[in-house]
Every structure is written in C-alpha cells, then in structure tokens.
Amino acid sequence: MITTIDLDDTGWLLDEETGRPVPEHRLSSYFAEYLAPPTWATDIVVYVHGWQTSPESARRAAARLLDLAESQLRAARGLYPRLGQSPRSFAPWTVVVRWPSSSLVTLGGYRKIRDRAHAMGAEGHAAHIIGRLLGYLDAERPDPGSAAVLANRDGQYLHLVGHSFGCRFLCEAVQWAGDAALNNDGTLGWSLPAVPGRPFTADSMLLFQMAAPRDAFTTLFTSLADAPIHGPVVATHSRHDRATGFWHLRAERSTGIGHSGIGVAPAPLFNGRLLSSHRRYPRQTLDHRFVNLDASAHFTRGRRLNPAGAHSDHLRPESAHLLLSLADHSR
C-alpha cells in the first residue's frame, strides 16, 4: 500500500483534496487524518524521489521497488532469516514524498533543480515538513522494542529511502528532527545504543545515487552522525551515473556521491559493493554509521542517449535485496 504527500516549490505540504497549502496549525491533524500507519504494516518506508520525476512516476518508482522486494522475498526468503517464514513477515506501508523536480536534462536544468532542492530544504520548509512527518510516524507506530502488537513480530520499523536530490531532503529532515547534542560516538549502525528523548528513531537510511558533494556529511549535514537513526546510512554509487558525474562535475566542480561515493564522513566510513540478489549481506558489512556501496556492476543502464546515464537505474532486484537486508538486520 502506498500513500503520497505533495510539497510545493517552497517545500510546504499541500492538501491532497484542495491542492492548497495546509495551514501550520493543521499539520498534526492533517497527518492524523491521512497518514495513520495501518496496524497490519510490519515496516514503514518513507520514499523521496529525485530529479526529473513526475508525481505519477514517483509513485510508480516506489511501487516498483516494493514489488521487486516482494518478488525477491518469495524467491530467496532464506537470505533474510530474521524476517521469518510468514508471508506477512515483511508487509511495508510506504509514504512517497513528492516535490516539483522536472527540468530540462541540461546543465542549466540540473542547476535549476539543485538550487530548488537547496531552497526547499536548507532555506525552505521541506526539512521542517518531512521532519514533522517522521516525528509523527514515530509517535504513531508501535515501538519495535515494546510488547507484541502484531501476530508475527513486535512493533513497526521505519526505513528512509531517497533517490538523487531526494536524499538531500531526507538528510536535512533528519537533522531538523534530530538533537545535535546527543552524546554518543556515532560510529555504529544498529549497534548504537538507544538514546532516550529522541524525536524519532529510524532503523535505516538508504540513499540511492545521492546528488550532493562528496563532503556533504562534513559540510552540509554535519549533525547526521549524532542523528536519531538507529541503523546505518547507506549510499550507493556508480561510475555510470552521469548526472552526479558529468553534470555534477560541471555544476559543482566535483563529482557527486552518486558517482564516486561519500568521500569523507564525521564517523568511520565502511566501503563495500552492492551485492547480487542471491548473496547475503553479513551484518558486519552494514552495521556502521556510514556505508558506501559501489553499484557500478549493477547500475549501468540509462535510456538511449540519456545524458543522466545510469542515475535512475536503481529500481533493480539488487536494490530490493539491499532494502530487505536492512529490514532483516534491523530486527
């Protein structure tokens, strides 16, 4: 099941019935009316799309990723032992955050959406709105550490998934919702001790082909090491991604994370490879605060003559396998 929310070009939430901005004083009641996590869900997935994605394409992309995950789980359930054998062991409810991201596939178009993403996030309302959304979802979902609330497992797990510029929005939202003064060393993922008083706790953050400079986690998202994520921040990269390679190099004077990976982080950075869909991820491969996964062997395809290259080639079985692995190790 997929639910959508829409943001305007300032990052503010739009009412799905009227298309007008939701007043500040109605945000909480709006979330309660339209975004109550269903009791049947085992996992909540928040998906934020990237460049050159229409509202319908954003919904289709999220649906495609979850369809691939369902097929992968049926075909290779043994790779995810903590998900159990029940067909309902992984029943995700997905919230797709949609924002105006279309432009010409040119250097000017790339810069336009880069600037819009920055204006909506760092200077606008997107971080505030998505941060409020994450806080609301955390408050409403059963705690995975609480008494059993579902027939097959305890609580609901929260996974954040971004693509391209959507990764920026997620990082800014987590910073907004988090407490930068948390006192922990920020070095591990699920092994990180729980910290009382967090506004919310996400169980994983998966960043597909992030459109941001390689030093973004030490210059733009500086408090993410101490953010309320009880799990890893995993970023994929591919040398075939021309949007964050060719275009990012010309717009930013350096390649981006989606092309070359996170370059530097405020906590130990683990480097590995995106695995094929029949190879299990050992827990120690992903149990770090920041994880780079080289997807160059898998993210290779782009539309014919597409200047973005393989930037949007993340809707693949290998990606669904990674998402399932994060859900499995979150248990």
Side-chain angles (χ1 to χ4, degrees):
M1 177 180 175
I2 293 178
T3 300
T4 59
I5 67 170
D6 292 289
L7 308 181
D8 65 16
D9 59 7
T10 72
W12 195 260
L13 181 66
L14 298 175
D15 189 306
E16 73 166 27
E17 293 185 358
T18 67
R20 295 194 294 267
V22 177
E24 167 79 30
H25 70 275
R26 284 201 58 238
L27 284 176
S28 295
S29 60
Y30 185 89
F31 286 149
E33 183 176 358
Y34 291 99
L35 292 165
T39 57
W40 52 260
T42 61
D43 296 72
I44 298 169
V45 177
V46 177
Y47 182 92
V48 188
H49 67 84
W51 186 32
Q52 286 294 95
T53 306
S54 69
E56 280 307 309
S57 294
R59 184 186 182 96
R60 286 197 300 269
R64 175 61 176 160
L65 182 62
L66 272 297
D67 286 346
L68 287 167
E70 182 179 353
S71 298
Q72 173 68 14
L73 188 57
R74 284 199 306 265
R77 188 173 293 274
L79 296 177
Y80 320 103
R82 293 178 183 84
L83 294 185
Q85 298 302 311
S86 167
R88 299 292 294 172
S89 61
F90 180 72
W93 175 63
T94 303
V95 180
V96 179
V97 180
R98 306 189 295 192
W99 57 283
S101 69
S102 296
S103 73
L104 296 174
V105 186
T106 62
L107 179 58
Y110 186 90
R111 284 175 170 157
K112 174 184 176 181
I113 300 304
R114 176 204 62 186
D115 294 344
R116 177 179 293 171
H118 180 73
M120 290 175 64
E123 301 171 355
H125 304 298
H128 170 75
I129 294 296
I130 300 174
R132 285 278 293 269
L133 167 66
L134 297 178
Y136 170 79
L137 293 177
D138 180 72
E140 294 300 314
R141 66 180 174 145
D143 183 353
S146 69
V149 294
L150 298 174
N152 58 343
R153 49 172 298 282
D154 295 343
Q156 294 172 324
Y157 294 84
L158 176 61
H159 309 285
L160 311 181
V161 181
H163 173 238
S164 184
F165 286 114
C167 302
R168 289 192 183 212
F169 288 154
L170 279 178
C171 291
E172 286 160 351
V174 168
Q175 286 200 138
W176 185 91
D179 179 3
L182 291 176
N183 183 22
N184 62 65
D185 64 10
T187 57
L188 297 178
W190 300 290
S191 299
L192 194 68
V195 178
R198 287 179 168 175
F200 75 97
T201 301
D203 296 288
S204 70
M205 178 184 276
L206 177 52
L207 307 174
F208 288 116
Q209 306 308 110
M210 185 172 182
R214 299 191 67 203
D215 63 355
F217 293 101
T218 58
T219 59
L220 299 175
F221 315 119
T222 55
S223 63
L224 212 63
D226 294 327
I229 305 174
H230 193 237
V233 177
V234 180
T236 66
H237 61 95
S238 169
R239 64 179 181 272
H240 307 292
D241 183 342
R242 287 173 57 82
T244 58
F246 179 84
W247 295 115
H248 198 281
L249 178 62
R250 279 147 187 80
E252 309 275 356
R253 298 185 178 180
S254 67
T255 57
I257 290 173
H259 179 273
S260 303
I262 301 170
V264 61
L269 178 62
F270 181 86
N271 292 291
R273 294 186 180 277
L274 186 72
L275 298 182
S276 62
S277 57
H278 64 272
R279 293 182 58 195
R280 187 170 189 269
Y281 285 94
R283 184 180 175 91
Q284 62 267 27
T285 300
L286 298 173
D287 194 15
H288 308 270
R289 173 49 96 198
F290 293 96
V291 178
N292 266 333
L293 292 182
D294 185 351
S296 298
H298 303 287
F299 296 175
T300 61
R301 300 177 304 183
R303 295 178 182 175
R304 182 174 174 82
L305 302 180
N306 185 348
H311 183 60
S312 296
D313 193 24
H314 65 293
L315 300 176
R316 302 179 57 87
E318 296 82 9
S319 301
H321 173 43
L322 176 57
L323 177 60
L324 287 169
S325 299
L326 290 168
D328 180 60
H329 288 308
S330 294
R331 266 68 172 169

